[in-house]
Amino acid sequence: MPVTLHLVDQATWTLDPQAQLDLVRIYADAPSERLKKPVDRFLREHLEAGRFFACARFNDRLLGALAVSADDQAWWLSELCVRKATRRRGVGSRLLALVSDAARAAGCELRTHSSQLPVADQVLLTRLGYRMDITGDYFVLAPPLQGGGNT
């Protein structure tokens, strides 16, 4: 499945009704423990705060998304979700690889707060070869030594 990276910020959200529909569908499929707010509120608050979504795109549709909050040193990741109909097909793995490459190109590392990383995500990252080095109250997601997300 040839998945590409598509970033959705406030401007993209405003101009792209298909991205709006797809992001709502992605997070509507999220397990209740993954998303603590109603979908519309979560999306609106995330984008209005100047954050963005890193999305997996296939055939002009978004299949998965990661909420991203960027600062000068890192992209902070949370709320990884893939559409229920496309789970277990490598979409989440490919999305993480693409986000890793994009963050590295921006001169940033990937981080996630330790309290926001569900066990399923920890398993996925470990399976992909990521090393989670705890530093304070967050994990630094160091890509695999063999070329990161370029595989």
PDB file of all heavy atoms in Angstrom, residues 132-146:
ATOM      1  N   MET A 132      13.221   3.637  22.946  1.00  0.00           N
ATOM      2  CA  MET A 132      12.590   4.658  23.765  1.00  0.00           C
ATOM      3  C   MET A 132      13.472   4.923  24.975  1.00  0.00           C
ATOM      4  O   MET A 132      13.531   4.121  25.890  1.00  0.00           O
ATOM      5  CB  MET A 132      11.189   4.228  24.162  1.00  0.00           C
ATOM      6  CG  MET A 132      10.256   4.191  22.972  1.00  0.00           C
ATOM      7  SD  MET A 132       8.594   3.681  23.391  1.00  0.00           S
ATOM      8  CE  MET A 132       8.827   1.924  23.561  1.00  0.00           C
ATOM      9  N   ASP A 133      14.183   6.038  24.935  1.00  0.00           N
ATOM     10  CA  ASP A 133      15.050   6.428  26.039  1.00  0.00           C
ATOM     11  C   ASP A 133      14.309   7.433  26.905  1.00  0.00           C
ATOM     12  O   ASP A 133      13.972   8.517  26.438  1.00  0.00           O
ATOM     13  CB  ASP A 133      16.339   7.070  25.503  1.00  0.00           C
ATOM     14  CG  ASP A 133      17.097   6.141  24.591  1.00  0.00           C
ATOM     15  OD1 ASP A 133      17.211   4.958  24.925  1.00  0.00           O
ATOM     16  OD2 ASP A 133      17.547   6.611  23.533  1.00  0.00           O
ATOM     17  N   ILE A 134      14.056   7.065  28.155  1.00  0.00           N
ATOM     18  CA  ILE A 134      13.296   7.969  29.022  1.00  0.00           C
ATOM     19  C   ILE A 134      14.184   9.124  29.462  1.00  0.00           C
ATOM     20  O   ILE A 134      15.318   8.954  29.837  1.00  0.00           O
ATOM     21  CB  ILE A 134      12.675   7.238  30.225  1.00  0.00           C
ATOM     22  CG1 ILE A 134      11.690   8.140  30.908  1.00  0.00           C
ATOM     23  CG2 ILE A 134      13.728   6.743  31.178  1.00  0.00           C
ATOM     24  CD1 ILE A 134      10.649   7.423  31.718  1.00  0.00           C
ATOM     25  N   THR A 135      13.653  10.320  29.344  1.00  0.00           N
ATOM     26  CA  THR A 135      14.333  11.545  29.759  1.00  0.00           C
ATOM     27  C   THR A 135      13.289  12.389  30.464  1.00  0.00           C
ATOM     28  O   THR A 135      12.456  13.008  29.814  1.00  0.00           O
ATOM     29  CB  THR A 135      14.882  12.301  28.525  1.00  0.00           C
ATOM     30  OG1 THR A 135      15.657  11.404  27.751  1.00  0.00           O
ATOM     31  CG2 THR A 135      15.740  13.472  28.947  1.00  0.00           C
ATOM     32  N   GLY A 136      13.299  12.391  31.768  1.00  0.00           N
ATOM     33  CA  GLY A 136      12.282  13.151  32.485  1.00  0.00           C
ATOM     34  C   GLY A 136      10.919  12.506  32.350  1.00  0.00           C
ATOM     35  O   GLY A 136      10.758  11.318  32.597  1.00  0.00           O
ATOM     36  N   ASP A 137       9.949  13.282  31.898  1.00  0.00           N
ATOM     37  CA  ASP A 137       8.583  12.757  31.800  1.00  0.00           C
ATOM     38  C   ASP A 137       8.188  12.440  30.359  1.00  0.00           C
ATOM     39  O   ASP A 137       7.021  12.351  30.027  1.00  0.00           O
ATOM     40  CB  ASP A 137       7.596  13.755  32.398  1.00  0.00           C
ATOM     41  CG  ASP A 137       7.543  15.069  31.641  1.00  0.00           C
ATOM     42  OD1 ASP A 137       8.486  15.373  30.891  1.00  0.00           O
ATOM     43  OD2 ASP A 137       6.538  15.793  31.795  1.00  0.00           O
ATOM     44  N   TYR A 138       9.166  12.275  29.472  1.00  0.00           N
ATOM     45  CA  TYR A 138       8.856  11.929  28.089  1.00  0.00           C
ATOM     46  C   TYR A 138       9.874  10.932  27.543  1.00  0.00           C
ATOM     47  O   TYR A 138      10.941  10.723  28.102  1.00  0.00           O
ATOM     48  CB  TYR A 138       8.826  13.170  27.201  1.00  0.00           C
ATOM     49  CG  TYR A 138      10.128  13.926  27.105  1.00  0.00           C
ATOM     50  CD1 TYR A 138      11.085  13.602  26.147  1.00  0.00           C
ATOM     51  CD2 TYR A 138      10.410  14.965  27.975  1.00  0.00           C
ATOM     52  CE1 TYR A 138      12.276  14.292  26.064  1.00  0.00           C
ATOM     53  CE2 TYR A 138      11.602  15.661  27.889  1.00  0.00           C
ATOM     54  CZ  TYR A 138      12.536  15.319  26.933  1.00  0.00           C
ATOM     55  OH  TYR A 138      13.719  16.007  26.862  1.00  0.00           O
ATOM     56  N   PHE A 139       9.489  10.304  26.449  1.00  0.00           N
ATOM     57  CA  PHE A 139      10.374   9.408  25.735  1.00  0.00           C
ATOM     58  C   PHE A 139      10.885  10.114  24.491  1.00  0.00           C
ATOM     59  O   PHE A 139      10.129  10.791  23.800  1.00  0.00           O
ATOM     60  CB  PHE A 139       9.635   8.143  25.282  1.00  0.00           C
ATOM     61  CG  PHE A 139       9.276   7.209  26.396  1.00  0.00           C
ATOM     62  CD1 PHE A 139       8.001   7.213  26.941  1.00  0.00           C
ATOM     63  CD2 PHE A 139      10.203   6.310  26.883  1.00  0.00           C
ATOM     64  CE1 PHE A 139       7.667   6.340  27.952  1.00  0.00           C
ATOM     65  CE2 PHE A 139       9.873   5.436  27.895  1.00  0.00           C
ATOM     66  CZ  PHE A 139       8.603   5.447  28.438  1.00  0.00           C
ATOM     67  N   VAL A 140      12.151   9.936  24.191  1.00  0.00           N
ATOM     68  CA  VAL A 140      12.715  10.370  22.921  1.00  0.00           C
ATOM     69  C   VAL A 140      12.643   9.153  22.011  1.00  0.00           C
ATOM     70  O   VAL A 140      13.149   8.093  22.354  1.00  0.00           O
ATOM     71  CB  VAL A 140      14.178  10.836  23.071  1.00  0.00           C
ATOM     72  CG1 VAL A 140      14.770  11.178  21.715  1.00  0.00           C
ATOM     73  CG2 VAL A 140      14.261  12.014  24.015  1.00  0.00           C
ATOM     74  N   LEU A 141      11.984   9.311  20.892  1.00  0.00           N
ATOM     75  CA  LEU A 141      11.823   8.192  19.976  1.00  0.00           C
ATOM     76  C   LEU A 141      12.972   8.219  18.978  1.00  0.00           C
ATOM     77  O   LEU A 141      12.952   8.951  17.993  1.00  0.00           O
ATOM     78  CB  LEU A 141      10.477   8.276  19.259  1.00  0.00           C
ATOM     79  CG  LEU A 141       9.266   8.349  20.193  1.00  0.00           C
ATOM     80  CD1 LEU A 141       7.989   8.451  19.399  1.00  0.00           C
ATOM     81  CD2 LEU A 141       9.228   7.151  21.112  1.00  0.00           C
ATOM     82  N   ALA A 142      14.004   7.460  19.286  1.00  0.00           N
ATOM     83  CA  ALA A 142      15.178   7.393  18.421  1.00  0.00           C
ATOM     84  C   ALA A 142      14.910   6.367  17.342  1.00  0.00           C
ATOM     85  O   ALA A 142      14.573   5.222  17.648  1.00  0.00           O
ATOM     86  CB  ALA A 142      16.403   7.003  19.245  1.00  0.00           C
ATOM     87  N   PRO A 143      15.046   6.751  16.068  1.00  0.00           N
ATOM     88  CA  PRO A 143      14.778   5.802  14.988  1.00  0.00           C
ATOM     89  C   PRO A 143      15.791   4.671  14.987  1.00  0.00           C
ATOM     90  O   PRO A 143      16.869   4.798  15.572  1.00  0.00           O
ATOM     91  CB  PRO A 143      14.887   6.644  13.725  1.00  0.00           C
ATOM     92  CG  PRO A 143      15.714   7.816  14.101  1.00  0.00           C
ATOM     93  CD  PRO A 143      15.487   8.043  15.571  1.00  0.00           C
ATOM     94  N   PRO A 144      15.465   3.588  14.320  1.00  0.00           N
ATOM     95  CA  PRO A 144      16.395   2.471  14.238  1.00  0.00           C
ATOM     96  C   PRO A 144      17.724   2.922  13.661  1.00  0.00           C
ATOM     97  O   PRO A 144      17.787   3.860  12.870  1.00  0.00           O
ATOM     98  CB  PRO A 144      15.703   1.497  13.280  1.00  0.00           C
ATOM     99  CG  PRO A 144      14.266   1.886  13.302  1.00  0.00           C
ATOM    100  CD  PRO A 144      14.234   3.353  13.589  1.00  0.00           C
ATOM    101  N   LEU A 145      18.785   2.232  14.016  1.00  0.00           N
ATOM    102  CA  LEU A 145      20.122   2.606  13.563  1.00  0.00           C
ATOM    103  C   LEU A 145      20.323   2.365  12.071  1.00  0.00           C
ATOM    104  O   LEU A 145      21.208   2.920  11.467  1.00  0.00           O
ATOM    105  CB  LEU A 145      21.167   1.817  14.358  1.00  0.00           C
ATOM    106  CG  LEU A 145      21.216   2.119  15.843  1.00  0.00           C
ATOM    107  CD1 LEU A 145      22.187   1.181  16.554  1.00  0.00           C
ATOM    108  CD2 LEU A 145      21.597   3.565  16.100  1.00  0.00           C
ATOM    109  N   GLN A 146      19.484   1.562  11.449  1.00  0.00           N
ATOM    110  CA  GLN A 146      19.667   1.188  10.043  1.00  0.00           C
ATOM    111  C   GLN A 146      18.861   2.081   9.105  1.00  0.00           C
ATOM    112  O   GLN A 146      18.162   1.612   8.236  1.00  0.00           O
ATOM    113  CB  GLN A 146      19.249  -0.259   9.832  1.00  0.00           C
ATOM    114  CG  GLN A 146      20.040  -1.204  10.711  1.00  0.00           C
ATOM    115  CD  GLN A 146      19.379  -2.545  10.837  1.00  0.00           C
ATOM    116  OE1 GLN A 146      18.162  -2.639  10.849  1.00  0.00           O
ATOM    117  NE2 GLN A 146      20.178  -3.580  10.942  1.00  0.00           N
TER     118      GLN A 146
END
